Amino acid sequence: MSVQFGSRLLGVLLLIWMMGFSACDADDTDAGSSDSDSDGDSDSDSDSDSDSDSDSDNDTDSDTDSDTDIDTATDTDIDSDTDTDIDTDTDTDTEIDTDTETETDTECGEPPPADQDWITEYQQEIIAKLTGEDEIAPGVTLESRSSAGERETAREYLLEVWQELGLTTEAHEYSSGANPYAILEATEESDEWVIYGAHYDSVSAGPGAEDNASGITGVCAMARYAAMIECRSRNLIFIGFDQEESGLIGSRAFAKYLKENDYNVHSMHNFDMIAWDGDDDLVIEVGAPSDGMVEFYEDVVANSEFDFELKESTLAASDHSAFKSQGFKALMFIEEFSFGDRSPYFHTADDTYDKIDFDFMAHVTILANLGIAELTRVD
């Protein structure tokens, strides 16, 4: 009995082997066949062998196949693949967004140092041309910035300075003069404007180096610094006011223009006579500041590596008062005019280039730069 059983078993195994060999040939034939094989063949293969069906290429017929196991496996595979692809895409999108945010943060980073090493040389060059120390244009030297022609020459020069920085420039004209200004737009969506200004005219008595070539030159350096900040949350205007010496005519006209055109002015920062420090104490007077503005600068200084002493006063006799009268927040930076340390050459022919204290002028400019960096900071 065992011999017969062994013979029969051997026969069965041989038959199974032959059937397997035939199936391999059939698979090879199917694999080598063209994509134009009939649907009938595919259905036949599916009905005959569930393994062959699961190995075969996915076909639309498999989605509607009555075999629950096959459908479930196929759907699971498809869903799994689809989910995996979607998840992968989502992860990729997240990584791209993260990378983008990281790159933006890297590009923005911290603002450049406020005490740029070019400040003094840059200010010397500009103030020399505004005061007649150097030619402001070929063959042209200013004796003052009082007459209409002299003011126009100074105005054109200031516009050129700002254009060289890549800023958009305009001239706000009114009946008796014009205010040249430059715009540096925010890199983020914003309707807020911060204004840095100084009057550029002088009395007829002299070149007006301290009053107020120093102030408008400081504003030019501030514009150059601001243009170095890659990411800015607010729009900036850098402006020279005409006819301050005749009664704040230019600043009154511009402040009125902003009010009538519904500009959202965050604050106005005025610079008048910022190049005299007779006692070398580096104290900066803050004239008639609006509420919170002195505190803002004190916080800026506290969070910096620099030391500044600010002394508050009620001095309002300059262009910032034109903005306050229109309801805008404003303040003025000036030498210690109200506290006895002011230029003795004020409004005289001796208010010349050689009297300028460029160290104190840079000191005030650095403070302003710190403020610009904070007011334009992107959170």
Side-chain angles (χ1 to χ4, degrees), residues 221-292:
M222 295 165 208
R224 178 174 173 178
Y225 172 77
M228 297 172 63
I229 302 175
E230 294 182 344
C231 302
R232 301 176 299 275
S233 61
R234 292 187 173 97
N235 304 291
L236 303 176
I237 289 178
F238 302 92
I239 186 167
F241 298 117
D242 200 357
Q243 294 184 293
E244 188 268 356
E245 300 291 2
S246 301
L248 315 182
I249 297 176
S251 56
R252 291 185 191 278
F254 192 70
K256 182 181 178 182
Y257 165 79
L258 295 178
K259 187 71 171 181
E260 290 177 346
N261 287 277
D262 297 321
Y263 274 76
N264 182 12
V265 176
H266 173 276
S267 55
M268 186 273 169
H269 308 247
N270 181 40
F271 300 85
D272 201 343
M273 300 176 66
I274 59 169
W276 179 271
D277 185 25
D279 57 11
D280 295 323
D281 63 359
L282 296 178
V283 174
I284 304 171
E285 181 175 341
V286 185
S290 295
D291 291 344

Side-chain angles (χ1 to χ4, degrees), residues 344-369:
Y345 310 109
F346 169 64
H347 283 185
T348 72
D350 292 324
D351 185 7
T352 52
Y353 176 88
D354 59 300
K355 310 299 193 309
I356 293 295
D357 184 337
F358 284 103
D359 289 338
F360 184 68
M361 192 171 167
H363 186 65
V364 177
T365 302
I366 292 168
L367 174 62
N369 288 347

Side-chain angles (χ1 to χ4, degrees), residues 276-349:
W276 179 271
D277 185 25
D279 57 11
D280 295 323
D281 63 359
L282 296 178
V283 174
I284 304 171
E285 181 175 341
V286 185
S290 295
D291 291 344
M293 294 192 73
V294 171
E295 290 77 9
F296 164 75
Y297 276 101
E298 288 176 342
D299 288 343
V300 167
V301 171
N303 292 317
S304 76
E305 59 183 297
F306 303 98
D307 292 323
F308 292 91
E309 183 178 348
L310 307 179
K311 189 178 291 187
E312 187 175 344
S313 75
T314 59
L315 185 61
S318 189
D319 296 301
H320 61 302
S321 63
F323 286 80
K324 294 182 70 176
S325 68
Q326 292 292 342
F328 299 131
K329 293 176 63 175
L331 87 172
M332 172 180 63
F333 290 111
I334 190 170
E335 64 196 29
E336 288 184 272
F337 193 92
S338 302
F339 304 100
D341 186 14
R342 67 179 188 180
S343 172
Y345 310 109
F346 169 64
H347 283 185
T348 72

Side-chain angles (χ1 to χ4, degrees), residues 80-98:
S80 177
D81 291 342
T82 303
D83 291 343
T84 302
D85 291 339
I86 291 173
D87 290 341
T88 302
D89 291 342
T90 303
D91 291 341
T92 302
D93 290 341
T94 301
E95 290 175 3
I96 290 173
D97 291 340
T98 302

Side-chain angles (χ1 to χ4, degrees), residues 137-154:
V140 179
T141 301
L142 292 177
E143 294 182 3
S144 73
R145 299 179 305 284
S146 178
S147 70
E150 289 171 326
R151 290 177 2 244
E152 181 179 5
T153 299

